[in-house]
Amino acid sequence: FLELQTQGVDSAGLTPLQFKRQTDTTFFKEKYRKFNLPGFGYTYLGYNLNDPKFKDLRVRQALNYAVDKNEIINIILLGYGRVCTGPFAMESWAYNHSVEPMKFDPQKAKQLLKEAGWAKENAEGYLEKEGKVFEFTIITNQGNEERIKAAQIIQKRLKDVGIKIKIKVIEWSVFISEFIDKRQFEAVLLGWSLSRDPDIYDIWHSSKTKEGEFNFIGYRNEEVDDLLIKARRSFDQEKRKEYYRLIHEIIYQEQPCMFLYCPEGLSILSSRFQGIKPAAIGIGYNFIDWWVPQAQ
């Protein structure tokens, strides 16, 4: 951002705060163009599905009911995002828009937790089962303030339904090598940036749970496995759409992670550049056609 202020760089991504407030000046309006376009990714809270705490579907559903996604979007993203329900980019033809997000409902969350055996409260107001407090640690990576703040809101909302949350922020290389790759976590707050083709085999197929692979939450579903293989083998987009939309429905129903939001793509580019044609795919797709007047 300092480089932008001295025109040391032509283009950069912006945080919501930078986009909405810090670039709302005469200098930036004269020297740059800002773009607010659909993002191709999502942010989520993933559970280690090998952890006994997360084996019960009712618990995972309760966690989802207990967190207000719009609160996170409005406070942290300043409104530059949308609640998502599945593992595809919201602009993708594979995204199933008929899957409605579960509404924020703390009472429903408490009811489901009670049904799952988490009925007794201790003196601090936290739920207990067989003498153990319902508590877990959310890990996320250092340097991403949005994720850290999202974790703090989740911590507050889950405390309201009797769940004790700790937050651990870890340097990126250690985060990946020692915690993600080795599955040494209870819950992780991360995001996926997705390709334009919606093949998500590497993230969700049960064969991809080995160390260093992308299905590090340990999701396993035979029907989803079969659909993922069918979708990547087909050249018929309508068939692929049918497979992926069913995958979306199944995964959201099973709640292997808490889908939080799809952030919007916020960026800035020097106004010297001509030939920019913003589209749902972004601005870089026609980069070869950009040009700068010789005088600039």
PDB file of all heavy atoms in Angstrom, residues 224-237:
ATOM      1  N   VAL A 224     -19.714 -38.807  -2.992  1.00  0.00           N
ATOM      2  CA  VAL A 224     -18.987 -37.634  -3.479  1.00  0.00           C
ATOM      3  C   VAL A 224     -17.759 -38.067  -4.278  1.00  0.00           C
ATOM      4  O   VAL A 224     -17.472 -37.511  -5.347  1.00  0.00           O
ATOM      5  CB  VAL A 224     -18.593 -36.712  -2.307  1.00  0.00           C
ATOM      6  CG1 VAL A 224     -17.600 -35.636  -2.763  1.00  0.00           C
ATOM      7  CG2 VAL A 224     -19.829 -36.052  -1.705  1.00  0.00           C
ATOM      8  N   ASP A 225     -17.046 -39.098  -3.795  1.00  0.00           N
ATOM      9  CA  ASP A 225     -15.898 -39.626  -4.541  1.00  0.00           C
ATOM     10  C   ASP A 225     -16.302 -40.013  -5.957  1.00  0.00           C
ATOM     11  O   ASP A 225     -15.639 -39.665  -6.938  1.00  0.00           O
ATOM     12  CB  ASP A 225     -15.331 -40.857  -3.831  1.00  0.00           C
ATOM     13  CG  ASP A 225     -14.468 -40.509  -2.619  1.00  0.00           C
ATOM     14  OD1 ASP A 225     -14.206 -39.315  -2.397  1.00  0.00           O
ATOM     15  OD2 ASP A 225     -14.073 -41.448  -1.904  1.00  0.00           O
ATOM     16  N   ASP A 226     -17.398 -40.758  -6.064  1.00  0.00           N
ATOM     17  CA  ASP A 226     -17.877 -41.234  -7.365  1.00  0.00           C
ATOM     18  C   ASP A 226     -18.259 -40.063  -8.275  1.00  0.00           C
ATOM     19  O   ASP A 226     -17.922 -40.044  -9.462  1.00  0.00           O
ATOM     20  CB  ASP A 226     -19.079 -42.167  -7.147  1.00  0.00           C
ATOM     21  CG  ASP A 226     -19.608 -42.754  -8.441  1.00  0.00           C
ATOM     22  OD1 ASP A 226     -18.816 -43.356  -9.184  1.00  0.00           O
ATOM     23  OD2 ASP A 226     -20.811 -42.590  -8.709  1.00  0.00           O
ATOM     24  N   LEU A 227     -18.949 -39.088  -7.712  1.00  0.00           N
ATOM     25  CA  LEU A 227     -19.387 -37.923  -8.495  1.00  0.00           C
ATOM     26  C   LEU A 227     -18.193 -37.082  -8.951  1.00  0.00           C
ATOM     27  O   LEU A 227     -18.186 -36.555 -10.071  1.00  0.00           O
ATOM     28  CB  LEU A 227     -20.347 -37.066  -7.673  1.00  0.00           C
ATOM     29  CG  LEU A 227     -21.730 -37.666  -7.419  1.00  0.00           C
ATOM     30  CD1 LEU A 227     -22.453 -36.898  -6.311  1.00  0.00           C
ATOM     31  CD2 LEU A 227     -22.567 -37.668  -8.695  1.00  0.00           C
ATOM     32  N   LEU A 228     -17.186 -36.953  -8.102  1.00  0.00           N
ATOM     33  CA  LEU A 228     -15.995 -36.189  -8.475  1.00  0.00           C
ATOM     34  C   LEU A 228     -15.283 -36.825  -9.667  1.00  0.00           C
ATOM     35  O   LEU A 228     -14.818 -36.123 -10.576  1.00  0.00           O
ATOM     36  CB  LEU A 228     -15.031 -36.105  -7.287  1.00  0.00           C
ATOM     37  CG  LEU A 228     -15.406 -35.158  -6.156  1.00  0.00           C
ATOM     38  CD1 LEU A 228     -14.536 -35.395  -4.934  1.00  0.00           C
ATOM     39  CD2 LEU A 228     -15.292 -33.701  -6.604  1.00  0.00           C
ATOM     40  N   ILE A 229     -15.216 -38.154  -9.677  1.00  0.00           N
ATOM     41  CA  ILE A 229     -14.563 -38.863 -10.785  1.00  0.00           C
ATOM     42  C   ILE A 229     -15.394 -38.727 -12.061  1.00  0.00           C
ATOM     43  O   ILE A 229     -14.860 -38.441 -13.142  1.00  0.00           O
ATOM     44  CB  ILE A 229     -14.340 -40.344 -10.412  1.00  0.00           C
ATOM     45  CG1 ILE A 229     -13.284 -40.445  -9.304  1.00  0.00           C
ATOM     46  CG2 ILE A 229     -13.898 -41.142 -11.635  1.00  0.00           C
ATOM     47  CD1 ILE A 229     -13.155 -41.809  -8.679  1.00  0.00           C
ATOM     48  N   LYS A 230     -16.702 -38.896 -11.942  1.00  0.00           N
ATOM     49  CA  LYS A 230     -17.574 -38.754 -13.114  1.00  0.00           C
ATOM     50  C   LYS A 230     -17.467 -37.349 -13.709  1.00  0.00           C
ATOM     51  O   LYS A 230     -17.421 -37.180 -14.934  1.00  0.00           O
ATOM     52  CB  LYS A 230     -19.025 -39.031 -12.729  1.00  0.00           C
ATOM     53  CG  LYS A 230     -19.359 -40.497 -12.517  1.00  0.00           C
ATOM     54  CD  LYS A 230     -20.824 -40.646 -12.113  1.00  0.00           C
ATOM     55  CE  LYS A 230     -21.204 -42.107 -11.952  1.00  0.00           C
ATOM     56  NZ  LYS A 230     -22.607 -42.250 -11.488  1.00  0.00           N
ATOM     57  N   ALA A 231     -17.432 -36.342 -12.848  1.00  0.00           N
ATOM     58  CA  ALA A 231     -17.406 -34.951 -13.308  1.00  0.00           C
ATOM     59  C   ALA A 231     -16.115 -34.619 -14.048  1.00  0.00           C
ATOM     60  O   ALA A 231     -16.131 -33.900 -15.039  1.00  0.00           O
ATOM     61  CB  ALA A 231     -17.601 -34.005 -12.127  1.00  0.00           C
ATOM     62  N   ARG A 232     -14.992 -35.152 -13.581  1.00  0.00           N
ATOM     63  CA  ARG A 232     -13.724 -34.808 -14.237  1.00  0.00           C
ATOM     64  C   ARG A 232     -13.485 -35.641 -15.494  1.00  0.00           C
ATOM     65  O   ARG A 232     -12.601 -35.328 -16.285  1.00  0.00           O
ATOM     66  CB  ARG A 232     -12.559 -34.918 -13.261  1.00  0.00           C
ATOM     67  CG  ARG A 232     -12.200 -36.310 -12.857  1.00  0.00           C
ATOM     68  CD  ARG A 232     -11.110 -36.426 -11.811  1.00  0.00           C
ATOM     69  NE  ARG A 232     -10.297 -35.251 -11.616  1.00  0.00           N
ATOM     70  CZ  ARG A 232      -8.999 -35.307 -11.271  1.00  0.00           C
ATOM     71  NH1 ARG A 232      -8.403 -36.469 -11.117  1.00  0.00           N
ATOM     72  NH2 ARG A 232      -8.315 -34.209 -11.081  1.00  0.00           N
ATOM     73  N   ARG A 233     -14.281 -36.694 -15.680  1.00  0.00           N
ATOM     74  CA  ARG A 233     -14.136 -37.529 -16.890  1.00  0.00           C
ATOM     75  C   ARG A 233     -15.092 -37.121 -18.008  1.00  0.00           C
ATOM     76  O   ARG A 233     -14.953 -37.590 -19.132  1.00  0.00           O
ATOM     77  CB  ARG A 233     -14.366 -38.998 -16.533  1.00  0.00           C
ATOM     78  CG  ARG A 233     -13.214 -39.622 -15.755  1.00  0.00           C
ATOM     79  CD  ARG A 233     -13.492 -41.064 -15.405  1.00  0.00           C
ATOM     80  NE  ARG A 233     -12.342 -41.679 -14.750  1.00  0.00           N
ATOM     81  CZ  ARG A 233     -12.357 -42.871 -14.174  1.00  0.00           C
ATOM     82  NH1 ARG A 233     -13.483 -43.581 -14.149  1.00  0.00           N
ATOM     83  NH2 ARG A 233     -11.278 -43.356 -13.614  1.00  0.00           N
ATOM     84  N   SER A 234     -16.042 -36.270 -17.673  1.00  0.00           N
ATOM     85  CA  SER A 234     -17.058 -35.892 -18.666  1.00  0.00           C
ATOM     86  C   SER A 234     -16.656 -34.614 -19.403  1.00  0.00           C
ATOM     87  O   SER A 234     -16.080 -33.702 -18.824  1.00  0.00           O
ATOM     88  CB  SER A 234     -18.405 -35.679 -17.977  1.00  0.00           C
ATOM     89  OG  SER A 234     -19.349 -35.197 -18.904  1.00  0.00           O
ATOM     90  N   PHE A 235     -16.996 -34.560 -20.703  1.00  0.00           N
ATOM     91  CA  PHE A 235     -16.779 -33.353 -21.501  1.00  0.00           C
ATOM     92  C   PHE A 235     -18.082 -32.591 -21.707  1.00  0.00           C
ATOM     93  O   PHE A 235     -18.105 -31.572 -22.379  1.00  0.00           O
ATOM     94  CB  PHE A 235     -16.166 -33.716 -22.862  1.00  0.00           C
ATOM     95  CG  PHE A 235     -14.740 -34.187 -22.759  1.00  0.00           C
ATOM     96  CD1 PHE A 235     -14.461 -35.540 -22.630  1.00  0.00           C
ATOM     97  CD2 PHE A 235     -13.690 -33.280 -22.762  1.00  0.00           C
ATOM     98  CE1 PHE A 235     -13.152 -35.978 -22.530  1.00  0.00           C
ATOM     99  CE2 PHE A 235     -12.387 -33.713 -22.652  1.00  0.00           C
ATOM    100  CZ  PHE A 235     -12.107 -35.067 -22.537  1.00  0.00           C
ATOM    101  N   ASP A 236     -19.158 -33.125 -21.134  1.00  0.00           N
ATOM    102  CA  ASP A 236     -20.476 -32.515 -21.265  1.00  0.00           C
ATOM    103  C   ASP A 236     -20.697 -31.585 -20.065  1.00  0.00           C
ATOM    104  O   ASP A 236     -20.863 -32.054 -18.936  1.00  0.00           O
ATOM    105  CB  ASP A 236     -21.546 -33.615 -21.301  1.00  0.00           C
ATOM    106  CG  ASP A 236     -22.948 -33.075 -21.524  1.00  0.00           C
ATOM    107  OD1 ASP A 236     -23.228 -31.931 -21.109  1.00  0.00           O
ATOM    108  OD2 ASP A 236     -23.778 -33.812 -22.087  1.00  0.00           O
ATOM    109  N   GLN A 237     -20.718 -30.278 -20.304  1.00  0.00           N
ATOM    110  CA  GLN A 237     -20.814 -29.336 -19.181  1.00  0.00           C
ATOM    111  C   GLN A 237     -22.119 -29.489 -18.416  1.00  0.00           C
ATOM    112  O   GLN A 237     -22.143 -29.308 -17.199  1.00  0.00           O
ATOM    113  CB  GLN A 237     -20.663 -27.891 -19.667  1.00  0.00           C
ATOM    114  CG  GLN A 237     -20.652 -26.903 -18.498  1.00  0.00           C
ATOM    115  CD  GLN A 237     -20.168 -25.529 -18.880  1.00  0.00           C
ATOM    116  OE1 GLN A 237     -19.120 -25.388 -19.490  1.00  0.00           O
ATOM    117  NE2 GLN A 237     -20.924 -24.507 -18.523  1.00  0.00           N
TER     118      GLN A 237
END
